[in-house]
Amino acid sequence: MITISDTAAERLREMLAEQEVPNMFLRLGVAAGGCSGFSYAMGFDDNETDADVYMDVQELKVVVEKDDLKYLNGLEIDFEESGMTGGFTIHNPNATVTCGCGSSFRTAADAGKPNEEPC
């Protein structure tokens, strides 16, 4: 299960409305890399495959590759305003180590003992 806050869902709907390609949806995933082992992937897409799982979250179509679900189950996405800027924040209960910037993570299952060293 993936959770998207009301604020994040509203911002995502605004961003989707600005897209010129019909039938766009939110794609979430992970990629190897980042200083902690995995980095998050979040963007808009209009192409689903047999390797994808579809879910409806806050009236948004969200698609995740089946292989990435083990890393993203329980994920919470929020949007925070900070002065003149703002951005999406991610809380991942599967992460045992996260990068100081919050954009990469590691799980105990895939990395053994977590490395407590900063990025």
Side-chain angles (χ1 to χ4, degrees):
M1 173 107 171
I2 293 173
T3 304
I4 300 175
S5 73
D6 293 340
T7 306
E10 181 180 329
R11 183 67 183 122
L12 287 164
R13 280 191 285 275
E14 290 170 1
M15 294 170 69
L16 278 166
E18 294 171 358
Q19 301 302 309
E20 295 181 11
V21 178
N23 302 316
M24 296 285 281
F25 53 83
L26 178 64
R27 178 176 290 282
L28 299 173
V30 297
C35 54
S36 294
F38 295 101
S39 60
Y40 296 105
M42 182 169 140
F44 298 130
D45 198 352
D46 65 343
N47 185 31
E48 284 184 79
T49 71
D50 292 338
D52 292 331
V53 174
Y54 154 82
M55 53 192 92
D56 183 27
V57 182
Q58 286 273 29
E59 299 178 12
L60 290 165
K61 181 177 181 179
V62 179
V63 175
V64 177
E65 281 190 31
K66 292 174 188 173
D67 292 343
D68 291 348
L69 279 177
K70 65 182 175 185
Y71 302 110
L72 301 178
N73 190 31
L75 193 76
E76 299 170 6
I77 300 173
D78 195 8
F79 186 85
E80 296 180 0
E81 298 280 347
S82 177
M84 295 183 67
T85 63
F88 291 97
T89 61
I90 296 175
H91 171 70
N92 187 344
N94 304 300
T96 57
V97 173
T98 58
C99 180
C101 64
S103 64
S104 68
F105 68 99
R106 183 180 329 161
T107 65
D110 289 304
K113 289 187 175 182
N115 180 2
E116 298 297 334
E117 295 179 26
C119 298

